[in-house]
Amino acid sequence: MNLVIPLKQISENDRPRVGGKAYALSRMVARGPHVPDALAITTDAYDRYVDATGLRERILLELHRKDFKDKRWEEIWDAALRIRSMFLKTAMPEELSAILREAVEALFPERSVVVRSSAPGEDSA
């Protein structure tokens, strides 16, 4: 299970785990246009985070308090805020943090980096 994959190593099989944007960038790298070095953090890293911290269960409890079709928009909004708060208050496990830090430092030693967020289904079509 790869938690981090350099653009140059992303294959078609990785697409569901890295998302459409990272996959498209990897194809550009393969065809030759200059694309800055980058890493894709896979959905496996997210899964490890929510499982190791217990967030997955807490989110599911929040989402299943009441049948979605019976919720008012205010209840949906409140649930979203509570879930957001869970993420903001839950530290990343040190083991996962170390894996991600090592991958970034290996590709970008002593350099600042920029993080760009993209959901797996974003830019997929």
Side-chain angles (χ1 to χ4, degrees):
M1 166 182 355
N2 291 351
L3 302 182
V4 181
I5 307 173
L7 281 184
K8 295 174 184 174
Q9 296 175 15
I10 294 173
S11 71
E12 175 71 33
N13 293 335
D14 297 315
R15 188 176 188 163
R17 298 172 41 238
V18 299
K21 187 171 297 299
Y23 178 74
L25 287 170
S26 75
R27 298 301 52 131
M28 288 176 65
V29 168
R31 290 188 179 107
H34 176 69
V35 175
D37 286 336
L39 298 168
I41 298 176
T42 68
T43 56
D44 298 324
Y46 171 83
D47 287 338
R48 186 176 287 191
Y49 169 70
V50 295
D51 289 338
T53 60
L55 274 178
R56 185 180 309 276
E57 292 80 15
R58 292 171 53 207
I59 292 167
L60 289 172
L61 282 171
E62 186 65 48
L63 293 175
H64 294 101
R65 284 178 186 233
K66 187 177 184 181
D67 195 316
F68 191 78
K69 69 180 189 292
D70 296 329
K71 289 182 182 181
R72 297 183 334 269
W73 73 267
E74 297 94 344
E75 293 173 298
I76 296 168
W77 180 264
D78 289 344
L81 290 176
R82 285 189 295 271
I83 292 169
R84 177 179 183 265
S85 180
M86 288 179 205
F87 278 98
L88 292 173
K89 293 178 179 179
T90 304
M92 185 177 302
E94 183 52 42
E95 176 190 358
L96 179 56
S97 180
I99 291 168
L100 299 178
R101 189 173 32 256
E102 287 171 18
V104 170
E105 289 173 356
L107 187 58
F108 305 105
E110 299 183 31
R111 290 173 47 198
S112 297
V113 297
V114 174
V115 176
R116 202 255 182 229
S117 174
S118 179
E122 187 178 340
D123 300 327
S124 61

